[in-house]
Amino acid sequence: MTTANPILTATGLTKEFRGFVAVKNVNLSIAEGSIHALIGPNGAGKTTVFNLLTKFLEPSSGRIHYRGQDITRTRPAEVARLGLVRSFQISAVFPHLTVLDNVRVALQRPMGLATQFWRSARVLDTLDDRAEELLEAVNLKSFLHVPAAEISYGRKRALEIATTLALDPALLLLDEPMAGMGHEDIDRIAALIRRIARNRTVVMVEHNLSVVADLCDRVTVLQRGEVLAEGSYAEVSGDPRVREAYMGTEHA
Amino acid sequence: MAGVTDTAAESRPPGLARLGFWMALVALALLVVAPFAIYPVFLMKILCFALFACAFNLLVGYVGLLSFGHAAFFGGAAYFTAHSVKVWGLTPEIGLLIGVAGAAGLGLVVGFLAIRRQGIYFSMITLALSQMFFFVCLQAPFTHGEDGIQGVPRGRLFGIVSLDDPLAMYFTVLVIFVAGVLAIWRIVNSPFGNILKAIRENEPRAISLGYRVDRYKLGAFVMSAALAGLAGGTKALVFQLATLTDVQWQMSGEVILMTLLGGIGTMAGPVVGAALVVTLQNYLSAVGIPVNVLIGAIFIVCVLLFRRGIVGEAVHLLSRRAR
């Protein structure tokens, strides 16, 4: 399943920061249509790998291929245009824009309404139907005209997912989508991720292992910047090395 | 720079937008009758600096980029317009177009180099490049060095209306000012302006949504430079003069001061700030109080007590009351 039809592959991915090796020779293969988790103790390099895959960091060495195309030197905005869209660990909304405007910003580019400086912003009203549809899917329809800064943390995460989905990405990378959330929010977002993964691939960094066990088809465990184990959740959680890595920090 | 620039960025209740519209109409009506009561050259000076500050605010207020080199576009355009009108004998409107095009070209070069860096580094690159341009102006023969280009003819607008008539000149400047401000208003409230705001709010997120933010920043930079050039070219026609004063770094500082005093990120703020600073300069130079000391003191009070600027604070108070 892993290598059958990979949408994203990384080979020998390494990142050094002034002599400190944050990520060392990581090989990854993300199967199309799967939900793939990156887990590991704090400081294992999960977010660094994530930033490398989405091109927000340049790798020191190694290659990244997306659908067979080498994207190792591609710039982040171009990667997003190819259909590989990420979220951020700290909620990434446009705080002073309303909830509706947040989604409209994402819709502007695909709709060709981003560079027109001579037209009234009212032309963006044509995006409202689609934006409201996306917000309905994450239960934010009643917050359309509230500034994003004023909604709760869980809802900001939901808004971020709605904004990301506005681009209809083939590959979605979610950086700790459940971080800092209460139980109800976690269940809601987990259901949402399962729903959106029906016709796309999802890679997620996640600390909450019960979420990972529940959602993910495949799990890669990182430790000190290296791949420690890979497999289904059941295989990985049975691995004594993984248990050791997590000992004292989190349950496994 | 984020801390400086996102002060007046709150979303505003719609009632306030309507109030702003009516106040703009009243202000326009006042500007139409003003030259019959107040010395027109003084008013024209205010209008030129107000347009300059508005152009600067387009960049700092709506994209969050603090340029410390806008004097190059303002003063550069003044030279280009003055030269093409005086030496080439072109009509004033063509002279202004050349000034605007020259400023836009300079903006393209400066912006292209500066937007590669963030925050204070961006500001320092704009300062360094504008100082290089200052040196060019000091040395190039066509600017006449310390003397500047003097005795610039105002000429006939479209070859018909003589701008030597103070009122004709005044209303030409007023039309240019209104057109410039409307252009800025349109840019800010356009699909493009919406992306600029998104970039100011959260640049990494805008990138992750597939926006090539450098191009948007450069576009805004060139537009801001061109409009600053429109203000500079107009000033050269009004005063029939283009000198080194307008390309000096102090001028870049002055426009920051005007915008900050009036309110960054508001449409009316830069106009109010420019009117205040120009008025103070005019009156104080007659009284004999050192202008810079007083303006410096006002600046400190402004930063300490009302950081949103005059208009920014007013908008903030009104929108709080409206909720």
Side-chain angles (χ1 to χ4, degrees), chain B residues 48-308:
Chain B
C48 290
F49 277 103
L51 180 57
F52 181 29
C54 286
F56 173 78
N57 183 44
L58 171 62
L59 203 56
V60 73
Y62 298 97
V63 201
L65 294 173
L66 179 63
S67 162
F68 214 100
H70 257 49
F73 314 127
F74 184 69
Y79 277 125
F80 301 145
T81 301
H83 184 81
S84 47
V85 170
K86 187 184 178 188
V87 181
W88 296 339
L90 298 171
T91 52
E93 70 279 0
I94 304 289
L96 280 176
L97 278 180
I98 290 174
V100 170
L106 276 174
L108 190 65
V109 175
V110 174
F112 181 78
L113 294 167
I115 53 158
R116 278 143 210 286
R117 290 292 172 267
Q118 312 262 334
I120 191 76
Y121 301 102
F122 170 87
S123 304
M124 287 300 117
I125 293 172
T126 54
L127 174 62
L129 291 171
S130 77
Q131 284 303 96
M132 284 167 67
F133 183 71
F134 171 79
F135 187 73
V136 170
C137 290
L138 186 64
Q139 298 292 326
F142 89 98
T143 62
H144 302 287
E146 301 280 356
D147 297 335
I149 306 178
Q150 297 179 4
V152 178
R154 284 179 178 175
R156 287 173 173 274
L157 189 66
F158 304 115
I160 306 164
V161 187
S162 168
L163 294 182
D164 287 321
D165 173 46
L167 279 182
M169 186 74 225
Y170 176 79
F171 283 105
T172 307
V173 173
L174 184 59
V175 167
I176 291 171
F177 168 78
V178 170
V181 170
L182 282 179
I184 291 166
W185 186 82
R186 167 47 75 230
I187 293 167
V188 168
N189 296 293
S190 71
F192 176 77
N194 214 33
I195 303 300
L196 291 182
K197 280 175 224 162
I199 292 171
R200 182 196 59 191
E201 297 260 300
N202 193 336
E203 187 170 335
R205 182 55 172 160
I207 295 173
S208 82
L209 294 177
Y211 289 106
R212 296 160 173 146
V213 295
D214 281 2
R215 295 190 191 181
Y216 288 85
K217 287 183 183 174
L218 184 59
F221 197 97
V222 172
M223 289 175 198
S224 171
L227 286 158
L230 181 61
T234 309
K235 183 173 178 261
L237 289 177
V238 169
F239 288 91
Q240 306 187 278
L241 188 69
T243 64
L244 288 171
T245 320
D246 289 346
V247 280
Q248 243 165 353
W249 65 267
Q250 284 94 331
M251 187 58 75
S252 299
E254 220 163 83
V255 75
I256 295 175
L257 179 75
M258 290 169 179
T259 312
L260 212 63
L261 268 181
I264 282 173
T266 62
M267 284 312 287
V271 181
V272 172
L276 191 69
V277 171
V278 172
T279 309
L280 278 176
Q281 283 171 343
N282 263 40
Y283 281 91
L284 294 179
S285 62
V287 181
I289 301 173
V291 182
N292 289 334
V293 175
L294 194 80
I295 288 181
I298 291 174
F299 179 70
I300 291 168
V301 170
C302 176
V303 169
L304 289 178
L305 293 182
F306 44 106
R307 290 191 55 190
R308 294 181 182 89

